[in-house]
């Protein structure tokens, strides 16, 4: 059974969907920790309601000390027994040293059709570019931001009159379907990308 740590910074809707999916019979993974850099993250209470252990490592306690912050993250992860990390709306950039420690064992969901629009403001950038499609990508995390091998994508049409918010809401619905599907495959040892 894989032990999954879910890292969040905000509301944690993807974390909830992942945790619910892991509760299904026969799932090869279980959530062992919800960890946030933000003590005010709404997802912490949602995780506690689901009976998942929670922890906070506030990045503001480590000004200009990324390694110190990540050292604390690593300590919490090791204490939890995690052998897989799912970044789920975790809004801190991780160093090459940290990503190397978790190489092949850390997934992220990003709200664009990577390699388009790594970084922030993905939906507005897709609208401004006149794209016909937006979407989301689950990928392995490497040292390069939002650039690790893709494990699955879902596409969402951009509609006339879409704002970043209306588009984000429709993409989020697809994130909630895609991420649990990819995690299930990945935790079962299947690292081939989803192709639909
Ligand atoms: C999601 O849309 C996720 O793709 C995005 O943050 C949101 C978190 O929502 N992640 C990133 O932008 C990572 N760079 P949630 O807290 O409700 O899951």
């Amino acid at each position: 059974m894989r032990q999954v740590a879910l890292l969040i910074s905000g509301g944690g809707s993807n974390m909830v969907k992942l945790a619910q999916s892991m509760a299904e019979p026969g799932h090869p993974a279980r959530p062992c920790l919800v960890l946030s850099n933000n003590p005010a993250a709404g997802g912490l209470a949602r995780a506690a309601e689901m009976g998942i252990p929670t922890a906070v490592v506030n990045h503001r306690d480590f000004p200009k000390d990324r390694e110190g912050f990540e050292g604390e993250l690593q300590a919490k992860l090791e204490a939890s027994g995690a052998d897989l990390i799912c970044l789920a709306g975790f809004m801190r950039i991780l160093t090459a040293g940290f990503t190397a420690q978790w190489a092949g064992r850390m997934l992220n969901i990003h709200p664009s059709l990577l390699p388009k629009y790594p970084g922030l403001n993905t939906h507005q950038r897709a609208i401004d570019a006149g794209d016909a499609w937006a979407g989301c990508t689950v990928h392995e995390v490497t040292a390069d931001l939002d650039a690790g091998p893709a494990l699955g994508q879902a596409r969402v049409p951009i509609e006339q009159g879409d704002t970043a918010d209306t588009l984000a809401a429709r993409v989020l619905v697809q994130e909630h379907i895609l991420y649990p599907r990819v995690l299930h495959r990945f935790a079962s040892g299947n690292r081939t990308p989803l192709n639909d």
Side-chain angles (χ1 to χ4, degrees), residues 103-104 106-108 114-115 137-153 182 186 191-194:
M106 179 158 51
L107 309 184
N108 180 43
L114 291 171
T137 306
V138 177
H139 63 95
E140 283 187 49
V141 177
T142 60
D144 298 320
L145 181 67
D146 299 329
L151 295 166
Q153 283 192 321
V182 171
F186 195 85
R191 287 161 188 238
T192 54
L194 274 172

Side-chain angles (χ1 to χ4, degrees), residues 26-41:
H27 200 288
R30 64 175 286 277
C32 62
L33 179 67
V34 170
L35 179 55
S36 181
N37 65 299
N38 172 15

Side-chain angles (χ1 to χ4, degrees), residues 90-103:
F90 185 71
M91 304 306 279
R92 304 303 298 170
I93 292 176
L94 297 164
T95 66
F98 187 87
T99 57
Q101 267 178 307
W102 289 90

Side-chain angles (χ1 to χ4, degrees), residues 10-15 88-91 108-111 119 146 172 175-176:
S13 69
N14 277 290
M15 173 276 295
F90 185 71
M91 304 306 279
N108 180 43
I109 187 153
H110 182 75
D146 299 329
L172 191 62
E175 293 184 39
H176 292 164

